[in-house]
Amino acid sequence: MRKLLPLAILLLCFFCINITNAQSNKSIITTEDVGPLKCFYLKQETANQISEYHIQVVYKNQQFVYKQEEDTIHLKSKEQIAQFVTDIKAGLLVISDEEKEFNIANSNYTLFKNKGYSDNNFIVIANKVLTIKAPINKFFANQLITWLNSIDFGKG
């Protein structure tokens, strides 16, 4: 009897977890490849018919070709999307000027200007601790802004 009680508790936990996971449904509304970034606009519905929308920007570590690490920027509100677009635009304003600095860090991502080479005009998207970095040029930064602005957040 003592041996069956832990097994019964384990099975009960397993069934409870499966029931709660079965009650939510996640679907991709739209997706876009922007240079090295993969962007998703997602809708998650719970059993209560409550829909949550969010955007994911997935970027891979480009420092080492053989070491594939990735991280994701989660944007869960119109305000977060607007702030991300504003931060990228701020980087585009100073990307060509070697004299100006650009470094924005918040809890979800870090953006900074790749310095050191005169023709190396990139904005680097990184995680908070700067271990995963993905540079994007002006073209891809503008393409990302255009895609983010085209999303009618909260619908789909």
Side-chain angles (χ1 to χ4, degrees):
M1 184 71 175
R2 288 183 187 176
K3 293 180 181 179
L4 292 178
L5 184 62
L7 184 59
I9 292 172
L10 179 66
L11 286 173
L12 181 64
C13 290
F14 175 74
F15 288 123
C16 289
I17 290 170
N18 281 341
I19 288 171
T20 57
N21 285 341
Q23 293 178 353
S24 71
N25 183 20
K26 188 181 280 190
S27 60
I28 298 174
I29 297 172
T30 184
T31 182
E32 182 81 19
D33 289 339
V34 180
L37 310 175
K38 293 205 177 285
C39 305
F40 302 95
Y41 178 41
L42 304 165
K43 176 182 180 181
Q44 183 171 358
E45 290 184 29
T46 60
N48 302 351
Q49 299 300 325
I50 299 172
S51 297
E52 293 180 7
Y53 296 89
H54 60 280
I55 292 174
Q56 293 181 348
V57 179
V58 179
Y59 56 98
K60 292 184 179 183
N61 199 359
Q62 302 227 336
Q63 285 181 312
F64 308 104
V65 176
Y66 56 86
K67 188 176 183 181
Q68 285 294 335
E69 295 175 323
E70 66 181 30
D71 205 346
T72 305
I73 298 172
H74 299 278
L75 305 171
K76 298 180 180 181
S77 68
K78 288 182 180 181
E79 293 79 21
Q80 288 180 341
I81 296 167
Q83 184 62 51
F84 187 55
V85 168
T86 302
D87 292 345
I88 294 171
K89 285 181 179 178
L92 286 173
L93 291 175
V94 298
I95 197 169
S96 298
D97 190 350
E98 287 293 319
E99 307 274 323
K100 294 186 179 177
E101 293 288 322
F102 170 70
N103 190 353
I104 295 175
N106 70 30
S107 61
N108 208 0
Y109 56 85
T110 301
L111 299 175
F112 60 92
K113 186 168 99 174
N114 192 19
K115 294 184 351 178
Y117 303 102
S118 60
D119 293 336
N120 201 2
N121 296 328
F122 291 98
I123 296 172
V124 179
I125 298 175
N127 61 353
K128 198 168 145 180
V129 293
L130 303 177
T131 55
I132 301 174
K133 302 172 190 171
I136 58 172
N137 61 19
K138 286 182 186 180
F139 175 77
F140 291 134
N142 284 317
Q143 190 178 359
L144 178 60
I145 290 169
T146 302
W147 183 77
L148 288 169
N149 287 333
S150 72
I151 291 176
D152 193 8
F153 192 78
K155 296 181 182 174

PDB file of all heavy atoms in Angstrom, residues 26-45:
ATOM      1  N   LYS A  26      -3.002  27.238 -29.096  1.00  0.00           N
ATOM      2  CA  LYS A  26      -2.140  28.295 -29.633  1.00  0.00           C
ATOM      3  C   LYS A  26      -2.089  28.170 -31.148  1.00  0.00           C
ATOM      4  O   LYS A  26      -1.890  27.080 -31.672  1.00  0.00           O
ATOM      5  CB  LYS A  26      -0.729  28.161 -29.058  1.00  0.00           C
ATOM      6  CG  LYS A  26       0.177  29.319 -29.397  1.00  0.00           C
ATOM      7  CD  LYS A  26       1.561  29.126 -28.827  1.00  0.00           C
ATOM      8  CE  LYS A  26       1.576  29.496 -27.379  1.00  0.00           C
ATOM      9  NZ  LYS A  26       2.927  29.553 -26.813  1.00  0.00           N
ATOM     10  N   SER A  27      -2.289  29.296 -31.834  1.00  0.00           N
ATOM     11  CA  SER A  27      -2.236  29.276 -33.293  1.00  0.00           C
ATOM     12  C   SER A  27      -1.413  30.455 -33.795  1.00  0.00           C
ATOM     13  O   SER A  27      -1.388  31.521 -33.193  1.00  0.00           O
ATOM     14  CB  SER A  27      -3.648  29.315 -33.881  1.00  0.00           C
ATOM     15  OG  SER A  27      -4.321  30.477 -33.470  1.00  0.00           O
ATOM     16  N   ILE A  28      -0.760  30.240 -34.935  1.00  0.00           N
ATOM     17  CA  ILE A  28       0.045  31.273 -35.569  1.00  0.00           C
ATOM     18  C   ILE A  28      -0.852  32.024 -36.549  1.00  0.00           C
ATOM     19  O   ILE A  28      -1.413  31.431 -37.466  1.00  0.00           O
ATOM     20  CB  ILE A  28       1.250  30.666 -36.300  1.00  0.00           C
ATOM     21  CG1 ILE A  28       2.166  29.953 -35.312  1.00  0.00           C
ATOM     22  CG2 ILE A  28       2.002  31.738 -37.064  1.00  0.00           C
ATOM     23  CD1 ILE A  28       3.303  29.193 -35.966  1.00  0.00           C
ATOM     24  N   ILE A  29      -0.966  33.339 -36.349  1.00  0.00           N
ATOM     25  CA  ILE A  29      -1.769  34.159 -37.253  1.00  0.00           C
ATOM     26  C   ILE A  29      -0.952  34.534 -38.480  1.00  0.00           C
ATOM     27  O   ILE A  29      -1.405  34.401 -39.606  1.00  0.00           O
ATOM     28  CB  ILE A  29      -2.291  35.413 -36.518  1.00  0.00           C
ATOM     29  CG1 ILE A  29      -3.219  34.986 -35.389  1.00  0.00           C
ATOM     30  CG2 ILE A  29      -3.001  36.346 -37.482  1.00  0.00           C
ATOM     31  CD1 ILE A  29      -3.644  36.088 -34.470  1.00  0.00           C
ATOM     32  N   THR A  30       0.258  35.008 -38.246  1.00  0.00           N
ATOM     33  CA  THR A  30       1.139  35.350 -39.361  1.00  0.00           C
ATOM     34  C   THR A  30       2.591  35.154 -38.918  1.00  0.00           C
ATOM     35  O   THR A  30       2.906  35.212 -37.738  1.00  0.00           O
ATOM     36  CB  THR A  30       0.907  36.790 -39.862  1.00  0.00           C
ATOM     37  OG1 THR A  30       1.733  37.024 -41.002  1.00  0.00           O
ATOM     38  CG2 THR A  30       1.222  37.812 -38.814  1.00  0.00           C
ATOM     39  N   THR A  31       3.440  34.920 -39.890  1.00  0.00           N
ATOM     40  CA  THR A  31       4.866  34.751 -39.617  1.00  0.00           C
ATOM     41  C   THR A  31       5.654  35.472 -40.706  1.00  0.00           C
ATOM     42  O   THR A  31       5.166  35.647 -41.827  1.00  0.00           O
ATOM     43  CB  THR A  31       5.246  33.256 -39.552  1.00  0.00           C
ATOM     44  OG1 THR A  31       6.631  33.139 -39.242  1.00  0.00           O
ATOM     45  CG2 THR A  31       4.955  32.545 -40.841  1.00  0.00           C
ATOM     46  N   GLU A  32       6.849  35.901 -40.350  1.00  0.00           N
ATOM     47  CA  GLU A  32       7.692  36.645 -41.296  1.00  0.00           C
ATOM     48  C   GLU A  32       9.159  36.353 -40.977  1.00  0.00           C
ATOM     49  O   GLU A  32       9.560  36.357 -39.814  1.00  0.00           O
ATOM     50  CB  GLU A  32       7.410  38.140 -41.160  1.00  0.00           C
ATOM     51  CG  GLU A  32       8.166  39.013 -42.114  1.00  0.00           C
ATOM     52  CD  GLU A  32       7.530  39.077 -43.490  1.00  0.00           C
ATOM     53  OE1 GLU A  32       6.352  38.751 -43.634  1.00  0.00           O
ATOM     54  OE2 GLU A  32       8.253  39.466 -44.421  1.00  0.00           O
ATOM     55  N   ASP A  33       9.945  36.098 -42.011  1.00  0.00           N
ATOM     56  CA  ASP A  33      11.393  35.986 -41.864  1.00  0.00           C
ATOM     57  C   ASP A  33      11.995  37.329 -42.221  1.00  0.00           C
ATOM     58  O   ASP A  33      11.820  37.813 -43.342  1.00  0.00           O
ATOM     59  CB  ASP A  33      11.966  34.908 -42.766  1.00  0.00           C
ATOM     60  CG  ASP A  33      11.605  33.507 -42.301  1.00  0.00           C
ATOM     61  OD1 ASP A  33      11.278  33.340 -41.115  1.00  0.00           O
ATOM     62  OD2 ASP A  33      11.650  32.575 -43.125  1.00  0.00           O
ATOM     63  N   VAL A  34      12.690  37.929 -41.275  1.00  0.00           N
ATOM     64  CA  VAL A  34      13.325  39.233 -41.485  1.00  0.00           C
ATOM     65  C   VAL A  34      14.821  39.040 -41.284  1.00  0.00           C
ATOM     66  O   VAL A  34      15.323  39.128 -40.166  1.00  0.00           O
ATOM     67  CB  VAL A  34      12.771  40.292 -40.503  1.00  0.00           C
ATOM     68  CG1 VAL A  34      13.444  41.627 -40.739  1.00  0.00           C
ATOM     69  CG2 VAL A  34      11.262  40.422 -40.633  1.00  0.00           C
ATOM     70  N   GLY A  35      15.516  38.752 -42.372  1.00  0.00           N
ATOM     71  CA  GLY A  35      16.953  38.488 -42.270  1.00  0.00           C
ATOM     72  C   GLY A  35      17.199  37.308 -41.344  1.00  0.00           C
ATOM     73  O   GLY A  35      16.641  36.229 -41.544  1.00  0.00           O
ATOM     74  N   PRO A  36      17.997  37.509 -40.298  1.00  0.00           N
ATOM     75  CA  PRO A  36      18.277  36.412 -39.376  1.00  0.00           C
ATOM     76  C   PRO A  36      17.177  36.188 -38.335  1.00  0.00           C
ATOM     77  O   PRO A  36      17.269  35.282 -37.530  1.00  0.00           O
ATOM     78  CB  PRO A  36      19.569  36.868 -38.690  1.00  0.00           C
ATOM     79  CG  PRO A  36      19.482  38.356 -38.707  1.00  0.00           C
ATOM     80  CD  PRO A  36      18.785  38.705 -39.993  1.00  0.00           C
ATOM     81  N   LEU A  37      16.124  36.996 -38.354  1.00  0.00           N
ATOM     82  CA  LEU A  37      15.058  36.925 -37.359  1.00  0.00           C
ATOM     83  C   LEU A  37      13.865  36.144 -37.898  1.00  0.00           C
ATOM     84  O   LEU A  37      13.544  36.217 -39.070  1.00  0.00           O
ATOM     85  CB  LEU A  37      14.589  38.330 -36.972  1.00  0.00           C
ATOM     86  CG  LEU A  37      15.662  39.344 -36.583  1.00  0.00           C
ATOM     87  CD1 LEU A  37      15.022  40.702 -36.355  1.00  0.00           C
ATOM     88  CD2 LEU A  37      16.404  38.885 -35.352  1.00  0.00           C
ATOM     89  N   LYS A  38      13.208  35.429 -37.009  1.00  0.00           N
ATOM     90  CA  LYS A  38      11.940  34.780 -37.327  1.00  0.00           C
ATOM     91  C   LYS A  38      10.894  35.425 -36.433  1.00  0.00           C
ATOM     92  O   LYS A  38      11.024  35.408 -35.217  1.00  0.00           O
ATOM     93  CB  LYS A  38      12.001  33.282 -37.069  1.00  0.00           C
ATOM     94  CG  LYS A  38      12.932  32.562 -38.000  1.00  0.00           C
ATOM     95  CD  LYS A  38      12.519  31.119 -38.137  1.00  0.00           C
ATOM     96  CE  LYS A  38      13.376  30.393 -39.118  1.00  0.00           C
ATOM     97  NZ  LYS A  38      13.105  30.693 -40.482  1.00  0.00           N
ATOM     98  N   CYS A  39       9.859  35.989 -37.065  1.00  0.00           N
ATOM     99  CA  CYS A  39       8.846  36.746 -36.329  1.00  0.00           C
ATOM    100  C   CYS A  39       7.501  36.036 -36.429  1.00  0.00           C
ATOM    101  O   CYS A  39       7.112  35.597 -37.504  1.00  0.00           O
ATOM    102  CB  CYS A  39       8.732  38.155 -36.893  1.00  0.00           C
ATOM    103  SG  CYS A  39      10.304  39.031 -36.936  1.00  0.00           S
ATOM    104  N   PHE A  40       6.805  35.948 -35.290  1.00  0.00           N
ATOM    105  CA  PHE A  40       5.515  35.276 -35.224  1.00  0.00           C
ATOM    106  C   PHE A  40       4.498  36.170 -34.527  1.00  0.00           C
ATOM    107  O   PHE A  40       4.820  36.797 -33.518  1.00  0.00           O
ATOM    108  CB  PHE A  40       5.617  33.967 -34.421  1.00  0.00           C
ATOM    109  CG  PHE A  40       6.614  32.990 -34.956  1.00  0.00           C
ATOM    110  CD1 PHE A  40       7.897  32.946 -34.444  1.00  0.00           C
ATOM    111  CD2 PHE A  40       6.270  32.113 -35.959  1.00  0.00           C
ATOM    112  CE1 PHE A  40       8.829  32.044 -34.925  1.00  0.00           C
ATOM    113  CE2 PHE A  40       7.187  31.203 -36.454  1.00  0.00           C
ATOM    114  CZ  PHE A  40       8.471  31.171 -35.934  1.00  0.00           C
ATOM    115  N   TYR A  41       3.285  36.190 -35.053  1.00  0.00           N
ATOM    116  CA  TYR A  41       2.149  36.814 -34.386  1.00  0.00           C
ATOM    117  C   TYR A  41       1.226  35.676 -33.988  1.00  0.00           C
ATOM    118  O   TYR A  41       0.710  34.953 -34.846  1.00  0.00           O
ATOM    119  CB  TYR A  41       1.455  37.810 -35.316  1.00  0.00           C
ATOM    120  CG  TYR A  41       0.224  38.473 -34.736  1.00  0.00           C
ATOM    121  CD1 TYR A  41       0.185  38.911 -33.417  1.00  0.00           C
ATOM    122  CD2 TYR A  41      -0.902  38.676 -35.514  1.00  0.00           C
ATOM    123  CE1 TYR A  41      -0.944  39.517 -32.901  1.00  0.00           C
ATOM    124  CE2 TYR A  41      -2.023  39.290 -35.013  1.00  0.00           C
ATOM    125  CZ  TYR A  41      -2.046  39.702 -33.699  1.00  0.00           C
ATOM    126  OH  TYR A  41      -3.159  40.308 -33.185  1.00  0.00           O
ATOM    127  N   LEU A  42       1.040  35.483 -32.684  1.00  0.00           N
ATOM    128  CA  LEU A  42       0.352  34.309 -32.161  1.00  0.00           C
ATOM    129  C   LEU A  42      -0.924  34.672 -31.409  1.00  0.00           C
ATOM    130  O   LEU A  42      -1.034  35.756 -30.824  1.00  0.00           O
ATOM    131  CB  LEU A  42       1.276  33.551 -31.199  1.00  0.00           C
ATOM    132  CG  LEU A  42       2.627  33.126 -31.749  1.00  0.00           C
ATOM    133  CD1 LEU A  42       3.562  32.723 -30.640  1.00  0.00           C
ATOM    134  CD2 LEU A  42       2.448  31.985 -32.717  1.00  0.00           C
ATOM    135  N   LYS A  43      -1.850  33.731 -31.419  1.00  0.00           N
ATOM    136  CA  LYS A  43      -3.094  33.851 -30.651  1.00  0.00           C
ATOM    137  C   LYS A  43      -3.215  32.605 -29.793  1.00  0.00           C
ATOM    138  O   LYS A  43      -3.070  31.488 -30.291  1.00  0.00           O
ATOM    139  CB  LYS A  43      -4.285  33.955 -31.599  1.00  0.00           C
ATOM    140  CG  LYS A  43      -5.633  33.987 -30.908  1.00  0.00           C
ATOM    141  CD  LYS A  43      -6.742  34.046 -31.948  1.00  0.00           C
ATOM    142  CE  LYS A  43      -8.104  34.074 -31.320  1.00  0.00           C
ATOM    143  NZ  LYS A  43      -9.176  34.112 -32.335  1.00  0.00           N
ATOM    144  N   GLN A  44      -3.470  32.809 -28.503  1.00  0.00           N
ATOM    145  CA  GLN A  44      -3.668  31.687 -27.599  1.00  0.00           C
ATOM    146  C   GLN A  44      -5.045  31.804 -26.976  1.00  0.00           C
ATOM    147  O   GLN A  44      -5.383  32.826 -26.380  1.00  0.00           O
ATOM    148  CB  GLN A  44      -2.594  31.665 -26.511  1.00  0.00           C
ATOM    149  CG  GLN A  44      -2.713  30.483 -25.595  1.00  0.00           C
ATOM    150  CD  GLN A  44      -1.521  30.360 -24.663  1.00  0.00           C
ATOM    151  OE1 GLN A  44      -0.580  31.135 -24.730  1.00  0.00           O
ATOM    152  NE2 GLN A  44      -1.569  29.391 -23.791  1.00  0.00           N
ATOM    153  N   GLU A  45      -5.841  30.757 -27.144  1.00  0.00           N
ATOM    154  CA  GLU A  45      -7.188  30.724 -26.599  1.00  0.00           C
ATOM    155  C   GLU A  45      -7.242  29.726 -25.457  1.00  0.00           C
ATOM    156  O   GLU A  45      -6.734  28.624 -25.575  1.00  0.00           O
ATOM    157  CB  GLU A  45      -8.205  30.324 -27.662  1.00  0.00           C
ATOM    158  CG  GLU A  45      -8.439  31.365 -28.719  1.00  0.00           C
ATOM    159  CD  GLU A  45      -9.531  30.958 -29.687  1.00  0.00           C
ATOM    160  OE1 GLU A  45     -10.445  30.219 -29.292  1.00  0.00           O
ATOM    161  OE2 GLU A  45      -9.462  31.386 -30.848  1.00  0.00           O
TER     162      GLU A  45
END
